Amino acid sequence: MIPRKDFQRINVQTARELASRDDVLIIDVRDVKAYKKQHIPEARNVSINNLAAILDSAPRDMPVLIYCYRGYASQDYARAFSDFRFQEVYSLDGGYDAWHQSEIEAQDLDAQDLTLKTMALV
Ligand SMILES: O=S(=O)([O-])[S-]
């Protein structure tokens, strides 16, 4: 029998590295409306209604990254995946809010960099 492995809580930076891999199952457990508005690329929207189908069908050795709004509800889902013997389960600390915030900060840095370069040319 496959041993149960606890899920891990990870920060945005680690989640970004993980999400860039091809073999990761990314799961968004926010409501459909929030998911449709924005989500991490390649993420699937999962709720209590389709959770069982995913738990039954996904390979147990596939890494799973789960996020919600702020990183609390995702831990309950992550626990379920661990209970079903998924071997690599991650819950994003700070949830989509943290992910989105880091995107905004990265864009601000790019804009500042561009401004400085432009000023240096003048
Ligand atoms: O509020 S939540 O982050 O648990 S979805």
Side-chain angles (χ1 to χ4, degrees):
M1 189 183 191
I2 306 171
R4 182 186 184 283
K5 267 195 177 172
D6 261 343
F7 71 90
Q8 295 174 52
R9 292 170 54 186
I10 58 173
N11 62 20
V12 173
Q13 191 185 339
T14 307
R16 284 193 182 281
E17 289 162 17
L18 189 64
S20 70
R21 286 168 48 178
D22 294 336
D23 61 338
V24 182
L25 176 61
I26 306 174
I27 292 183
D28 182 326
V29 298
R30 299 174 304 154
D31 65 61
V32 183
K33 207 171 153 194
Y35 171 80
K36 282 188 175 161
K37 197 170 163 205
Q38 281 176 324
H39 56 263
I40 295 176
E42 311 297 329
R44 294 172 64 172
N45 189 225
V46 170
S47 70
I48 212 70
N49 298 326
N50 61 353
L51 176 64
I54 305 265
L55 287 169
D56 280 347
S57 62
R60 300 289 185 268
D61 59 353
M62 180 178 256
V64 184
L65 167 61
I66 306 169
Y67 67 94
C68 56
Y69 293 95
R70 285 173 293 277
Y72 299 106
S74 57
Q75 293 182 52
D76 292 335
Y77 281 84
R79 200 165 292 113
F81 278 83
S82 291
D83 288 347
F84 272 74
R85 304 298 193 259
F86 282 78
Q87 295 296 289
E88 251 190 277
V89 184
Y90 305 93
S91 172
L92 172 58
D93 268 355
Y96 191 78
D97 286 0
W99 178 279
H100 188 57
Q101 187 58 38
S102 82
E103 281 180 335
I104 291 170
E105 286 166 9
Q107 284 166 6
D108 285 351
L109 283 178
D110 284 350
Q112 280 174 18
D113 193 37
L114 189 63
T115 305
L116 288 175
K117 282 180 184 156
T118 308
M119 287 167 68
L121 292 175
V122 187

